Structures are given as structure tokens and as C-alpha cells.
Amino acid sequence: MALVTITGYPSSGKSRRALQLKTHLESRLQDPNYAGPKLKVQIISDDELNLDRNVYSDSRSEKPARGALFTAMQRQMSQDTILIIDSLNYIKGFRYQMYCAARELKLRVCTIFVVTTQDLAREWNETRQDSKVYPSETFENLVQRYEEPSSMVRWDSPLFTVPWLDEDIPADDIWKAVTEGNIKPPNAGTQAVPKAPTDALRTLEHTTTTMVSAIMSEQAASGGIGGPVTLALSSTLKPRVSLPSRNITLSELQRLKRQFVTVHKKAITLGTVEKGVVDWSEESVADKFAAYIEENLKS
């Protein structure tokens, strides 16, 4: 249904805002006047994933921590869930990555920027009485590296800024964004590349080799008169190909086969940019190779 990304300085009050939002959303969903789809509200946070604040002390531990957060997010994103990501989310590239994942599933998105001054966030961090304190050096490093969200970029929009002085969040506007906001369709950058079946390479090689042998046999039987011929590759596979009125050498056919296989092997191993599912069946490969031969053999 929707993905809500919360971002802000460490110890700026993000978890408090996430709980406020969850309370507001659940209240509206339980309202007797609500007539929309049945939805649930969930929060994914560092604490829920048992990520210690020390993981942000160096990149070697931070990278797998972000990976765990992203994996948990992907697992819980769905059309019946409003998912709130309560974490630092201080890197714009990571916010963009989350945006792309949400867009691929056609979810609505919004970002909540929890704003406080560096001095106040530092004070709150130093005076915390729980185990969620950021080490001083880590805190300073995160503040310096923090990349503020911007309403001018699509992955941070719509953006709701919540200053530390506000007692509550703009619940009405956020509710509208997650229930009525525009759903952007996936683009080429977020769509998975169609993959060929596991036996596509074998089918490509076997079918083209069999066709070369069949053409040489047909030419020997007809004396090289050319014209349209039917190649009986099997009881069900009988492609037709038009041959020139001359003797075709085996080296010519093998050269065309190598060229054809090379081009299509790249599409199999790297994926294809064609829309929809590409047919890698024997019939399709045979028809394509027949057309390739006709186009490249000169009379």
C-alpha cells in the first residue's frame, strides 16, 4: 500500500514520530467511517532488527546493517501494509534504493524529515538512559555525513518536515499521501530483466547445428536447385527456409551459425531489453535462424 521513510539526525526523535504516526494511522483504519481496504501498519527499526548503535561506527559493519534493514523492508512490503522505516536513512542513495523497491511494487511513498539542531540532538544522545546511545565519535561522524532530504527529488517526495518544537506530526497530510497519493509505475530502472530458461543455450546450439546438417543434406539430395525447402528436424519440428539457386558451402553455413549463436548467446547470458517474455523454444530458434540464413545468404 505505502512506504513511509523516516529520516533525521541520530537521537533526533525519529522513533517517537514513528510511533505517533503508527497510532494515528491505526486510529483512522479502525474508525467506523473508514471504508477503504483492510490495512495493517508496521514499523521496521534498528531496534526491531537488533542492530546496535555501534554498527554505524565503521563502514564494514554499517553496510551489512543497511542490507539487513533493506531485506526486512522488502519482505514486509505489500499491498495490505503501510510500512514505516524508522532508521537514520541519512544517505540519499539508500533512500533512492528504497524508493525504487517501493515503486516496483506500485506502492505509494512519502518521507518524514525529523528536524532538530545538532546541539539538541547531541544533548539528547548524551543524556539517554537506555542502551541506544551513539558513541560520541560515531554521532559526530553521522551528523557530518547526513544528507538532508529534498522535496525537489522524486525519491524524497512528498516530503513532510517535522520540527522538534511540534508536539505532533501532520497526520492529515500524511494520511492523504499514503492512501490517495499518486502511484508511479515501475520504469526500466526498477524492472527485472527477463531471464532465459536454463536450457536456452543448449537449445540454441543444438537447433542451429541440426539445421546446418539438414540444409547440407537437402542440398545434396536436390542438386542445389534452391528455393523453399522444409527441413525435417524431428517429427514435430519442420522449419521452412528459402535457399539460393547455387551450392552453399558448409563453411558458409557454419560462419552464419557462429554469428547467429554469438548474438543470441549474449541475450541469454545478459538478459534482453525486449518487452515481455522472449521465446527460446526450438520452434522459435529454428524460425529465427531460418530467417537469418535467408537474409545473409546471397544468391
Side-chain angles (χ1 to χ4, degrees), residues 52-104:
D52 191 270
R53 298 300 189 267
N54 286 313
V55 299
Y56 295 102
S57 297
D58 65 82
S59 58
R60 288 176 298 180
S61 59
E62 181 180 346
K63 187 174 181 179
R66 282 204 308 271
L69 178 68
F70 187 76
T71 299
M73 181 199 75
Q74 287 183 302
R75 190 180 301 119
Q76 297 193 41
M77 284 193 306
S78 69
Q79 292 295 329
D80 67 347
T81 302
I82 299 175
L83 189 59
I84 304 169
I85 308 300
D86 172 24
S87 185
L88 287 173
N89 301 321
Y90 71 100
I91 301 173
K92 62 182 179 181
F94 186 57
R95 296 197 298 269
Y96 175 71
Q97 185 180 5
M98 292 192 292
Y99 162 82
C100 288
R103 185 170 177 176
E104 186 174 350

